[in-house]
Amino acid sequence: MVTVIDGDGLLVGRLSSVVAKRALAGEEIAVINAEKTVISGSRARVLGNYKHKRERGSREGGPFFPRRPDHILKRTIRGMVPYKRQRGVEAMKRIKVYVGIPCELDGIAAEKLADAHKARLNTPACVTLGTVSSFLGAKF
């Protein structure tokens, strides 16, 4: 059975840590609405940080950083999993991230994580992952 988590209005880091921990425990997880997750901080700082991540390295040798919001979220989750070890590889296979709501998960009730919601923030300064992806040049 797949656990569906709705990413609308959730903080990327908090969501990623919860998903990583559950996947390592053996749970299958699907995150929907990846483009609606938020990153806290001022717009200029967040976009500057992600632009730097995207541009560092070389075309031939990497490191390669994704543009699409579902791939960025999965990459963030990967940073919280020992992805080079066997248990981390298996945990990453149990995680699926989607832009929007795919038709196979349309009727399933999605879980909302209260401890990862942007209402926790003291400031209203936050940027959606969809905005960051558009800034990086994604066409999703």
Side-chain angles (χ1 to χ4, degrees):
M1 184 66 189
V2 177
T3 304
V4 180
I5 297 176
D6 188 3
D8 189 11
L10 301 183
L11 295 165
V12 169
R14 299 258 179 199
L15 171 65
S16 299
S17 63
V18 169
V19 169
K21 192 174 283 191
R22 286 186 181 185
L24 285 168
E27 198 174 332
E28 282 196 39
I29 297 177
V31 180
I32 57 174
N33 292 325
E35 76 281 3
K36 295 180 183 174
T37 57
V38 296
I39 303 163
S40 63
S42 72
R43 181 180 171 90
R45 185 182 64 82
V46 170
L47 295 181
N49 287 348
Y50 276 89
K51 183 178 181 195
H52 175 71
K53 284 182 186 184
R54 177 79 186 147
E55 291 177 348
R56 75 174 172 218
S58 65
R59 278 184 286 148
E60 296 82 16
F64 306 108
F65 195 80
R67 290 180 176 160
R68 290 178 41 121
D70 49 343
H71 295 173
I72 291 174
L73 184 57
K74 189 142 184 184
R75 171 74 177 254
T76 306
I77 295 167
R78 191 190 83 174
M80 300 181 186
V81 171
Y83 68 96
K84 291 186 179 180
R85 297 180 185 257
Q86 189 61 38
R87 67 187 285 253
V89 170
E90 291 166 2
M92 288 304 293
K93 287 179 183 173
R94 288 190 285 267
I95 300 169
K96 303 282 187 244
V97 182
Y98 300 99
V99 172
I101 303 172
C103 54
E104 64 264 17
L105 298 175
D106 201 9
I108 300 174
E111 182 181 339
K112 276 292 228 183
L113 302 175
D115 56 336
H117 200 269
K118 69 178 181 180
R120 293 175 52 101
L121 295 176
N122 295 332
T123 75
C126 60
V127 183
T128 65
L129 201 53
T131 304
V132 173
S133 294
S134 298
F135 175 74
L136 294 176
K139 299 173 182 70
F140 62 94

